[in-house]
Amino acid sequence: MAYKITHDCISCAACEAECKNEAISEGEEIYVIDPDRCTECVGNFESPKCAEICPVDACVPDPDHEEGKEQLLEKWYNLHPGETPAYTP
Ligand code: SF4
Ligand code: SF4
């Protein structure tokens, strides 16, 4: 399941550099996550980095993007052609 950023976001930018899929960017009001690039950190880390680092807990699972671990890993492979995942579930 991709993550999303809620309106609790204070635009501190801390999460942007943590995302190895480059899924996070600055939006018009708050930071945003591109669901097509978010793998819940599958392929990179054991747990979602943005959620861990966010000081106001604004990074949360997005129920509109239900995906299993295999789907998320497939997404990771498509984002990182030729690379080996650092973490697989
Ligand atoms: S959960 Fe991981 S892949 Fe998804 S936006 Fe956050 S840091 Fe990026
Ligand atoms: S770390 Fe949290 S508060 Fe900071 S930009 Fe990301 S979502 Fe917003």
Side-chain angles (χ1 to χ4, degrees), residues 4-6 8-16 18 24-26 30-33 49-60:
K4 65 175 181 180
I5 294 175
T6 71
D8 290 335
C9 173
I10 54 171
S11 296
C12 73
C15 57
E16 189 177 11
E18 293 296 315
I24 304 176
S25 60
E26 191 174 6
I30 56 173
Y31 274 67
V32 292
I33 293 175
K49 280 282 167 190
C50 56
E52 282 176 19
I53 202 162
C54 180
V56 293
D57 294 332
C59 301
V60 297

Side-chain angles (χ1 to χ4, degrees), residues 1-3 15 18-24 33-34 37-42 44-45 47-51 59:
M1 181 183 318
Y3 269 54
C15 57
E18 293 296 315
C19 183
K20 296 246 184 266
N21 292 348
E22 297 180 354
I24 304 176
I33 293 175
D34 177 353
R37 300 189 71 88
C38 176
T39 60
E40 215 180 281
C41 280
V42 165
N44 300 320
F45 304 107
S47 52
K49 280 282 167 190
C50 56
C59 301

